[in-house]
Amino acid sequence: MTPCPPLPMPLTSRVSRQTARRAQRLWLNYGVFWLGAVLVGLVSVLYAKLIDFGYETFRHMTAHALWLPFIITPVGAGIAIWLTQRFFRGAQGSGIPQVIASLQDGRLSRSLLSLRIMFGKIAMSFIGILCGFTIGREGPTVQIGASLMYAMRRGYHRSSMHIERQLTLAGAAAGLAAAFNTPLAGVVFAIEELSRSFVARNSGTLITAIIFSGVVALGLQGNYLYFGRIQAIGDFHWVMFPVVIGASVLTGTAGGVFCWLLLNATRWIPAPLVEMRRSRPVHFAVLCGVAIAVIGLVSGGTTFGSGYAEARGLLESHEALSPFYAVLKFTALIVSYLSGIPGGIFAPSLSIGAGLGDLMSMITASVPLPVLAALCMVGYLAAVTQSPITSFVIVMEMIDGHQMVIPLMAVALLASQVSRAFSSPFYHTLAHGFLTPTVPAPRRA
């Protein structure tokens, strides 16, 4: 008696199993990534609100006590640097050099893009803004986004160097896009600044991450322009040519000098302070805190924080600033970055640029102040980062400056070229320090 052949599987059962396998494969290939992008958007928004709360608290505390920064700023700086040196090494500075170094050498990712570093970056930059340091949140958001997405590699059964690099790049771009509400700038930033090349197979990954992160940010904060909409001039005539040249030279020189000062600190800082910065970073940070308080007192409080309010006031033509504002803000940002406190330079650089535009408005009255401020903002940011396309796209998206496309682009390109005469690329030079670290000196807090 021959055995009966097995009955064929019902069609509906086979379809359902195939659908389940496809859904599982889709989740493994994309679901983890999409979840990470959503988390980047959520964390970026919460981090932005935390930093805004910290600065508002500082302003409230110092509103009726001008002497208070001489206490809380040095003490806060010392605490932040002590905690960073002891528990969060790799969280210092803006965070963008760490991301660049991790993309160039994936072995550094575990020490520069961990969740511990992410939480340390958030906490230490909050302390920094709470005690009035001249720092921004946009650069740190890049490292935060990259760290969070890098941690999502654990959701893959088999992670690889290629997957980890994709996650890092997409997380950094999504973080910047969510911080500024500039999705196009996130893509350009990843191409121009982080990877310095564009690989076709990564384009969809980048854009998807930015879309998911941006949707979350828009859902929580609404559709807004970072600096509001400025009243740009409609018809550009011959008078704009000398203005564009002047803004390019001014901002390119200032940005180039800024980079040179930070990258060559040991060549101009007195030797005792260089030694203090190397061997006793906490003491050096306290001294920087005193300097920040002095600069803040001289400026009437305008140099504390990122400078967002001052830049927006100039763009809206209702904020009268001292002619020394740009110089004082420039000095405060130098001191803040040299202290080693976690914090970025994007927003303060835009504020310095706006201040330089205010200086130009005292020379020429043929161009409105908001236009001069916008041109100098893009020029100074391009000079500092030496990434003209990223700077141009960021400022254009932040102010809805589509009527100023050509002047903004021209100033960005020219200013970045002027800056190259003074200094090498800022972020990539700092990233090289993580790629070739020196033996750390003994810590004496």
Side-chain angles (χ1 to χ4, degrees):
M1 183 175 180
T2 58
C4 296
L7 295 175
M9 182 181 296
L11 180 61
T12 55
S13 179
R14 283 184 293 176
V15 171
S16 62
R17 289 192 178 186
Q18 290 176 356
T19 303
R21 284 197 297 269
R22 288 175 180 173
Q24 183 181 19
R25 189 161 53 248
L26 183 67
W27 168 252
L28 290 176
N29 290 337
Y30 301 105
V32 175
F33 178 82
W34 292 344
L35 176 61
V38 169
L39 291 177
V40 170
L42 178 62
V43 172
S44 298
V45 171
L46 295 178
Y47 175 60
K49 292 184 179 296
L50 179 67
I51 293 298
D52 291 342
F53 169 75
Y55 185 60
E56 288 301 318
T57 302
F58 171 81
R59 300 292 291 182
H60 179 74
M61 289 189 299
T62 58
H64 305 292
L66 297 178
W67 51 266
L68 196 57
F70 287 93
I71 298 177
I72 62 175
T73 305
V75 172
I79 292 173
I81 295 302
W82 184 83
L83 291 173
T84 301
Q85 291 283 321
R86 190 168 183 84
F87 301 108
F88 306 113
R89 283 189 176 271
Q92 67 273 15
S94 80
I96 295 177
Q98 289 91 316
V99 176
I100 294 174
S102 299
L103 289 171
Q104 294 182 9
D105 185 352
R107 295 170 298 180
L108 296 173
S109 298
R110 295 181 183 274
S111 59
L112 298 179
L113 300 179
S114 65
L115 290 178
R116 175 179 58 84
I117 292 295
M118 184 189 78
F119 287 116
K121 195 79 171 186
I122 294 173
M124 297 306 102
S125 58
F126 173 73
I127 294 176
I129 203 70
L130 186 63
C131 60
F133 267 74
T134 304
I135 55 176
R137 58 175 170 81
E138 292 75 22
T141 308
V142 172
Q143 188 178 15
I144 290 169
S147 299
L148 187 54
M149 285 292 281
Y150 178 75
M152 299 302 293
R153 75 192 188 283
R154 303 178 189 277
Y156 292 91
H157 289 319
R158 293 182 179 178
S159 182
S160 66
M161 191 70 72
H162 174 67
I163 290 176
E164 292 174 0
R165 191 176 188 278
Q166 276 193 322
L167 290 171
T168 300
L169 191 62
L176 183 77
F180 278 125
N181 190 33
T182 53
L184 181 58
V187 178
V188 176
F189 175 71
I191 297 169
E192 184 183 33
E193 182 61 53
L194 295 181
S195 64
R196 292 286 166 125
S197 63
F198 183 71
V199 182
R201 63 178 178 271
N202 289 336
S203 60
T205 302
L206 287 172
I207 295 172
T208 303
I210 290 169
I211 289 174
F212 274 83
S213 175
V215 166
V216 174
L218 289 175
L220 294 176
Q221 299 189 111
N223 191 11
Y224 70 100
L225 293 172
Y226 189 86
F227 278 119
R229 181 174 286 104
I230 72 168
Q231 299 298 320
I233 57 181
D235 298 324
F236 294 100
H237 41 83
W238 65 269
V239 76
M240 283 300 296
F241 288 99
V243 170
V244 166
I245 298 298
S248 302
V249 173
L250 176 62
T251 57
T253 302
V257 170
F258 173 85
C259 294
W260 187 92
L261 289 173
L262 289 184
L263 296 177
N264 299 275
T266 57
R267 298 174 62 178
W268 60 272
I269 295 179
L273 293 181
V274 172
E275 174 61 23
M276 178 187 292
R277 185 176 181 235
R278 184 189 67 83
S279 61
R280 292 179 290 172
V282 174
H283 293 74
F284 183 79
V286 170
L287 189 61
C288 289
V290 174
I292 292 294
V294 172
I295 296 170
L297 179 65
V298 172
S299 69
T302 58
T303 57
F304 291 124
S306 68
Y308 170 83
E310 289 76 18
R312 181 154 192 166
L314 290 173
L315 288 170
E316 295 177 348
S317 299
H318 64 67
E319 186 79 14
L321 293 177
S322 164
F324 302 104
Y325 170 77
V327 175
L328 293 173
K329 191 73 173 179
F330 179 96
T331 307
L333 183 55
I334 290 284
V335 174
S336 296
Y337 206 91
L338 288 175
S339 73
I341 201 163
I345 63 173
F346 266 72
S349 294
L350 292 170
S351 178
I352 293 170
L356 293 174
D358 190 30
L359 283 177
M360 287 192 66
S361 70
M362 301 176 186
I363 301 174
T364 175
S366 58
V367 180
L369 172 59
V371 174
L372 290 172
L375 291 175
C376 289
M377 285 167 65
V378 73
Y380 188 80
L381 184 61
V384 170
T385 62
Q386 293 188 12
S387 298
I389 301 177
T390 299
S391 303
F392 152 70
V393 173
I394 284 177
V395 174
M396 186 188 68
E397 287 191 284
M398 286 192 308
I399 64 175
D400 193 22
H402 296 85
Q403 292 179 316
M404 297 178 58
V405 167
I406 300 302
L408 288 174
M409 188 180 298
V411 172
L413 291 171
L414 291 174
S416 64
Q417 291 302 315
V418 172
S419 175
R420 292 176 191 274
F422 292 87
S423 172
S424 56
F426 180 66
Y427 287 130
H428 283 261
T429 304
L430 290 177
H432 186 71
F434 291 98
L435 294 169
T436 56
T438 56
V439 178
R443 291 200 307 266
R444 289 180 293 171

